[in-house]
Amino acid sequence: MNDNHLPPTNIEAEEAILGGILLDPKAITIVADILPVEAFSISTHQQIYKAALLLHHKDKQVDLMTVSTWLSDHKLLEKVGGTTKLAQLLNRTVSAVNIDRYSLLVLDKYQRRRLIAAGHEIVDLGYDTAIELETVFDFAESKLFALTTDKKDKFTTEPINDCLADIFNELEQGSLPLFSTGLTDLDSLIGGLTKQDLIIVAARPSMGKSWFACYLANHIAIKEKKPVVFFSAEMSRKQLTKRFLAMHTGIDSQRLMNNVIYEDEMDSLVNGLSNLAELPIEINDTPAEQLTPAKIRSELRKIQSKRGELGLVVLDYIQKLGDRAAGNRAQVIGKYSGACKDIAKQFNVPFVVLAQINRGVESQSNKRPAMASLKDSGDIEQDGDLLLMLYRDEYYKSDTEDNGVMEVIVGKNRNGATGTCKVLFDPSVGAFCDYTS
Ligand SMILES: Nc1ncnc2c1ncn2[C@@H]1O[C@H](COP(=O)(O)OP(=O)(O)OP(=O)(O)O)[C@@H](O)[C@H]1O
């Protein structure tokens, strides 16, 4: 315990770094990406380093002359101690050889100061009993997580120039900010599943929402090889795993649920088990009343730090969350859908959220759902970037010509067209494929 409570600093290392920068024009290129301005503990050090960084970002040479001229031109030279201070820094430094090592020493103290600041904020929140405990935990966890992982706040204000640089890089690489669904007609309508989008998949009960979500999860896990996280407030972990197993083995899901396997299915079972075991699919079956946005964020943070960038998040299903006896359900659901959109942005991932549709569609002649059909809809349709509504004619008419066909109705598409496409669907094993094939 530090009795005098002085914040941890390493002034000598800070001086050595600044001296190195003034001495050797190459030095700034080594430290610019490692050290933020705030890593320096003294404001004069921060100001000198900031001048060096600004010159560096404008592709200007960085040395004693250019830094002192810049500071003088901006009426800051006297504030940092004048040319005497710069000369002192220079005189104390023999070479810039160890500058990367010194940077780590300075960074270590900076991280400790940030940890202490976060600790103070967490203590204050702990005392503030007006704030819900869950919010306090979420805040505390995200503060510490930011320190141990990225170390930089992603959501700061940035000049448009920086965004343009990112966009140019993406265009140059031709990398798509979205994932194919594996269904050609659906992809032609929606493009694919876009990162940061909230994708609402809505339908009447038993229409095949969970199967559709399983299909997307499985497809992204296989094709993108990125972690897919399935929050199943509806089905247990075992039931959901058996659905995935049915998809991989072709064994009827109903029989898998009842643990009935035929002898000639053993090979498929073994193959399916080993294929499925390889996939980066994570299942969380926290009961609906305990599955809060804070819990979802906390789980995603853990998975992301363990397995890397996420490929897809699924929630089955939104109206199940929260206190179902509570008065204004629309308001509650609106709160959840807003939080889901924030999570999609925060984790840079498409977030597929399943939703039930109002019984109202049953009284319509064509029975096909529309945007207004969402049950307890709250702000779901506003928060969603993409709204996919599922419809199967055989659900209502056993003699339909469209046996085995699912219609995917795109009711809202922030990034493109709306419309309907058909896909083939086998609910016994959760198989989806193109209608035209
Ligand atoms: N083994 C099976 N054989 C035939 N049909 C099946 C089988 N298993 C499930 N189904 C059908 O799949 C549909 C259920 O799919 P799914 O659970 O994905 O629907 P859902 O829209 O998520 O429903 P809910 O909202 O009730 O959870 C039902 O129509 C059911 O009859």
Side-chain angles (χ1 to χ4, degrees), residues 40-91:
F40 290 85
S41 59
I42 303 175
S43 68
T44 53
H45 288 179
Q46 288 186 355
Q47 197 55 69
I48 297 166
Y49 182 62
K50 199 169 167 183
L53 268 188
L54 284 166
L55 288 165
H56 173 61
H57 287 146
K58 286 186 176 161
D59 284 334
K60 301 261 170 65
Q61 168 141 328
V62 179
D63 57 24
L64 175 64
M65 182 57 73
T66 54
V67 171
S68 69
T69 306
W70 192 94
L71 288 167
S72 167
D73 289 347
H74 292 81
K75 312 265 179 296
L76 292 166
L77 189 57
E78 291 316 309
K79 278 194 190 147
V80 303
T83 43
T84 327
K85 171 73 183 175
L86 298 185
Q88 265 174 12
L89 291 171
L90 198 61
N91 287 338

Side-chain angles (χ1 to χ4, degrees), residues 206-211 234 243 252-254 356 392 427:
S206 294
M207 197 57 87
K209 295 183 293 298
S210 302
W211 270 132
E234 168 84 334
R243 286 221 179 186
D252 186 288
S253 61
Q254 201 57 55
Q356 292 278 23
R392 284 190 293 139

Side-chain angles (χ1 to χ4, degrees), residues 27-162:
I28 188 72
T29 60
I30 301 168
V31 295
D33 289 334
I34 310 175
L35 287 179
V37 172
E38 311 79 58
F40 290 85
S41 59
I42 303 175
S43 68
T44 53
H45 288 179
Q46 288 186 355
Q47 197 55 69
I48 297 166
Y49 182 62
K50 199 169 167 183
L53 268 188
L54 284 166
L55 288 165
H56 173 61
H57 287 146
K58 286 186 176 161
D59 284 334
K60 301 261 170 65
Q61 168 141 328
V62 179
D63 57 24
L64 175 64
M65 182 57 73
T66 54
V67 171
S68 69
T69 306
W70 192 94
L71 288 167
S72 167
D73 289 347
H74 292 81
K75 312 265 179 296
L76 292 166
L77 189 57
E78 291 316 309
K79 278 194 190 147
V80 303
T83 43
T84 327
K85 171 73 183 175
L86 298 185
Q88 265 174 12
L89 291 171
L90 198 61
N91 287 338
R92 278 189 206 158
T93 311
V94 188
S95 86
V97 172
N98 290 321
I99 200 159
D100 46 353
R101 223 158 36 83
Y102 296 154
S103 299
L104 295 181
L105 297 177
V106 168
L107 208 53
D108 176 283
K109 297 295 183 291
Y110 168 56
Q111 297 289 48
R112 285 168 193 274
R113 293 199 299 278
R114 288 184 68 200
L115 178 68
I116 291 166
H120 286 313
E121 283 183 72
I122 293 168
V123 168
D124 287 346
L125 276 173
Y127 279 112
D128 192 342
T129 47
I131 302 173
E132 277 183 34
L133 187 58
E134 192 186 299
T135 311
V136 175
F137 281 144
D138 188 34
F139 175 86
E141 199 182 292
S142 61
K143 274 274 164 196
L144 289 178
F145 192 78
L147 280 175
T148 54
T149 53
D150 184 6
K151 289 141 192 148
K152 246 179 117 189
D153 182 2
K154 269 197 316 186
F155 298 109
T156 52
T157 315
E158 303 246 335
I160 194 164
N161 195 16
D162 291 2

